Amino acid sequence: MIPQVAEVYDRLAEQKEQFLGSLRALTAEQLSFRVKSGAWTVVQVGHHVVLVEQRTADAIKKHRGMRSGKRRLHHRLGNLLLWSVFRTGLRVKNPVPEAAPDADVDLGQLLEAWEQARTDLEEVLSEVKERGLQYAAFKHPVGGPFTVEQALDFLVQHLDHHLRQIERIQQHAEFPA
C-alpha cells in the first residue's frame, strides 16, 4: 500500500478497533437496545458502517482511475453539506438504501462481515498506484466524485460520525444498565 493511502487506512483501522471495543463491552440487551421504534441498534449502526465500507471498496475497484472526476457545483455543495454533517454531528437519513443495515444482524455476523469488508478494502488499496491518486475512484451520492484518498477520508469521518451515534445511544436515559 502506498504511504499516502496507508496513513489514512491506519487511522481507519484504529477507529474500527475503537468501535469494536465499545461493542464488545456491551451486553446482548444493550446491543439490541433501540432509542425508539425503528431506530438502529448499536449493532445495526456497525452493520451500516460495514456496508458503506464494502460499497466503497467495490466502487474503488470498479472505477479506479476513471477520469470523470470533475466536481460540478452541485457536487461541491453536496461535499460541503456532507462534511458539515460530519463536523456537527447532525442526524441525517441514510442516502443509500443499499447501505441500510439488516434488521436482525447480530454481533457475530457484524464481526464476520467487517473482517471481509476490510480484507476487500485492503486488497483494493494495495493495487492503487501513486499516479492513480489524482483520479476519481468513488462517487458519493451527495459529495460526488472522490479520489482514493478522499474516499478513505470519507470512511474515517463516516466511522467517527457513527462512533458519536453509539455514544448518544449509550447515553440515552433508557439504555440498559
Side-chain angles (χ1 to χ4, degrees):
M1 201 178 296
I2 60 175
Q4 303 94 304
V5 171
E7 183 179 325
V8 183
Y9 181 80
D10 288 346
R11 286 196 333 239
L12 191 61
E14 288 172 18
Q15 284 182 304
K16 175 189 172 191
E17 290 311 311
Q18 179 185 355
F19 195 99
L20 291 177
S22 68
L23 292 188
R24 286 183 180 120
L26 300 177
T27 66
E29 185 181 15
Q30 292 169 326
L31 289 170
S32 62
F33 174 77
R34 293 178 194 278
V35 172
K36 63 181 179 179
S37 178
W40 290 351
T41 66
V42 291
V43 176
Q44 285 179 299
V45 172
H47 191 229
H48 164 72
V49 168
V50 170
L51 292 171
V52 169
E53 286 189 12
Q54 187 66 61
R55 289 182 55 82
T56 302
D58 292 346
I60 291 171
K61 186 174 188 173
K62 181 179 178 184
H63 300 293
R64 185 178 43 242
M66 69 180 180
R67 300 196 187 268
S68 60
K70 188 174 182 182
R71 299 182 71 86
R72 294 188 161 74
L73 178 60
H74 71 277
H75 292 136
R76 291 179 187 180
L77 293 173
N79 199 37
L80 179 64
L81 176 65
L82 178 67
W83 297 113
S84 295
V85 165
F86 287 156
R87 275 190 211 102
T88 62
L90 287 174
R91 298 176 197 182
V92 295
K93 291 209 181 269
N94 171 23
V96 181
E98 297 84 9
D102 292 344
D104 59 349
V105 67
D106 65 28
L107 184 57
Q109 293 167 320
L110 170 63
L111 296 174
E112 187 177 314
W114 211 338
E115 197 59 40
Q116 183 61 54
R118 281 297 170 94
T119 299
D120 294 348
L121 185 59
E122 284 181 32
E123 182 181 308
V124 168
L125 295 176
S126 69
E127 298 171 4
V128 172
K129 306 292 183 228
E130 195 158 332
R131 69 179 183 276
L133 291 178
Q134 62 187 324
Y135 300 115
F138 167 74
K139 187 172 182 183
H140 187 274
V142 176
F146 289 167
T147 65
V148 170
E149 288 177 283
Q150 290 168 331
L152 280 175
D153 194 40
F154 159 74
L155 291 177
V156 167
Q157 297 302 320
H158 181 254
L159 184 49
D160 186 56
H161 176 77
H162 287 294
L163 277 165
R164 290 191 312 265
Q165 181 182 6
I166 297 291
E167 289 171 6
R168 282 194 310 270
I169 293 169
Q170 290 175 312
Q171 292 170 359
H172 191 273
E174 296 174 21
F175 189 75

